[in-house]
């Protein structure tokens, strides 16, 4: 998280990754031409801009900002050949609310914006207790209800576990809706206590990664597994060596 996009690209290339997800904050103040040059030089294509956060249950002013961000990121993504922009649901407000209706409404509007640029949105549920969409089952219902050609799912193994999703939810998926599998592991803590800082490299924790991979294969998904780990301890390490370790750890899971 403390490295620049230039360093990320250098590390991804050295480790032999096929794609890179762009952490959105790292493209701030970079022109489209500059980004085109960086990706052309690196030879590592972008997979997503990650992410637009808290897209639902926002007041009018904040939601207008979300739409502007979607327009900006979609324009950048189209220009640099990046297929996806990741979008994340908002916090669950107090009282009785219709999460599916709100999520479908917002995703439909944002998909319209992204479609103008030929870009798709990848919807990522979060397993945190305050998130409005905590499980794969609910996220899948929302995406199916929205029924947009440029909308799919991000499934993060950490959030999958923390929010109480199960393997049967993967087995019920249409594989065409799965755009990105975020692969990572976790310390052995009660689910309600898990935070991003408790993530680990794949294979070093207690997440059911091999069962998840088996379920993905069972439904016919054999596309992208993307390592995403927000562990501050790892940020102190050499980025190139960490990228190599991350790729080796992920391959040990997905190729076993």
């Amino acid at each position: 998280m403390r490295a620049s996009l230039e360093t990320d690209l250098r590390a991804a290339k050295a480790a032999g990754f096929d794609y890179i997800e762009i952490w959105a904050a790292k493209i701030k103040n970079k022109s489209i031409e500059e980004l085109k040059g960086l990706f052309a030089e690196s030879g590592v294509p972008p997979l997503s801009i990650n992410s637009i956060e808290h897209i639902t249950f926002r007041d009018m002013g904040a939601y207008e900002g979300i739409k502007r961000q979607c327009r900006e990121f979609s324009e950048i993504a189209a220009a640099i050949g990046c297929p996806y922009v990741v979008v994340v649901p908002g916090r669950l407000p107090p009282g009785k609310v219709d999460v599916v209706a709100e999520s479908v409404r917002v995703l439909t509007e944002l998909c319209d914006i992204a479609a103008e640029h030929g870009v798709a949105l990848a919807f990522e549920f979060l397993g945190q207790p305050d998130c409005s969409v905590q499980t794969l089952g609910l996220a899948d219902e929302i995406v199916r209800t929205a029924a947009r050609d440029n909308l799919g799912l991000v499934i993060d193994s950490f959030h999958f576990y923390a929010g109480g999703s199960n393997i049967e939810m993967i087995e019920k998926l249409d594989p065409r809706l799965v755009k990105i599998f975020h692969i990572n592991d976790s310390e052995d803590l009660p689910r309600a206590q898990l935070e991003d800082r408790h993530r680990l490299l794949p294979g070093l924790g207690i997440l059911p990664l091999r069962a998840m991979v088996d379920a993905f294969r069972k439904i016919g998904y054999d596309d992208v597994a993307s390592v995403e780990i927000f562990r501050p301890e790892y940020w102190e390490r050499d980025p190139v060596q960490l990228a190599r370790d991350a790729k080796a750890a992920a391959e040990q899971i997905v190729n076993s």
Side-chain angles (χ1 to χ4, degrees), residues 18-248:
D18 299 298
Y19 301 97
I20 187 168
E21 292 195 75
I22 306 166
W23 190 243
K26 297 186 182 186
I27 59 175
K28 189 176 181 180
N29 300 323
K30 281 184 166 58
S31 70
I32 287 177
E33 290 307 312
E34 185 179 0
L35 290 169
K36 283 182 178 179
L38 285 173
F39 282 99
E41 183 179 350
S42 74
V44 181
L47 177 68
S48 81
I49 297 176
N50 187 358
S51 58
I52 304 175
E53 301 182 4
H54 305 301
I55 63 171
T56 51
F57 299 108
R58 306 298 298 270
D59 62 38
M60 186 176 297
Y63 183 53
E64 287 301 316
I66 293 294
K67 290 193 287 187
R68 284 194 300 271
Q69 195 172 35
C70 184
R71 189 169 291 107
E72 176 190 355
F73 285 180
S74 296
E75 181 181 359
I76 293 170
I80 63 175
C82 178
Y84 306 121
V85 173
V86 177
V87 294
V88 178
R91 294 184 179 90
L92 189 64
K96 292 184 178 181
V97 295
D98 190 332
V99 173
V100 173
E102 167 70 0
S103 301
V104 169
R105 178 187 69 83
V106 170
L107 287 169
T108 298
E109 291 186 5
L110 296 184
C111 280
D112 283 344
I113 293 170
E116 294 174 6
H117 303 277
V119 172
L121 301 183
F123 185 57
E124 180 175 12
F125 66 95
L126 305 182
Q128 296 157 346
D130 65 345
C131 184
S132 59
V133 183
Q134 298 175 27
T135 67
L136 173 56
L138 181 54
D140 183 41
E141 179 186 352
I142 289 166
V143 168
R144 288 175 184 265
T145 302
R148 294 299 301 258
D149 290 340
N150 66 327
L151 177 64
L153 291 162
V154 178
I155 302 171
D156 183 295
S157 55
F158 179 85
H159 291 300
F160 179 89
Y161 177 81
S165 296
N166 57 53
I167 297 300
E168 289 72 25
M169 292 178 185
I170 297 178
E171 293 174 343
K172 293 177 181 178
L173 292 174
D174 179 344
R176 294 171 296 181
L177 294 180
V178 182
K179 304 306 179 186
I180 307 170
F181 169 38
H182 281 165
I183 186 168
N184 45 64
D185 221 320
S186 174
E187 297 180 29
D188 189 1
L189 293 171
R191 296 185 194 206
Q193 296 180 19
L194 287 174
E195 299 176 359
D196 281 332
R197 62 191 175 93
H198 298 126
R199 296 182 183 222
L200 295 165
L201 288 175
L204 299 183
I206 49 83
L207 299 190
L209 297 179
R210 286 189 170 83
M212 293 183 73
V213 169
D214 288 345
F216 282 128
R217 289 205 173 103
K218 183 176 179 180
I219 65 169
Y221 177 81
D222 189 24
D223 205 339
V224 179
S226 177
V227 183
E228 185 188 62
I229 303 173
F230 300 106
R231 188 177 181 88
E233 173 190 333
Y234 289 172
W235 303 343
E236 304 299 328
R237 296 175 55 183
D238 173 70
V240 171
Q241 188 57 54
L242 177 58
R244 287 173 172 153
D245 292 345
K247 185 168 185 287

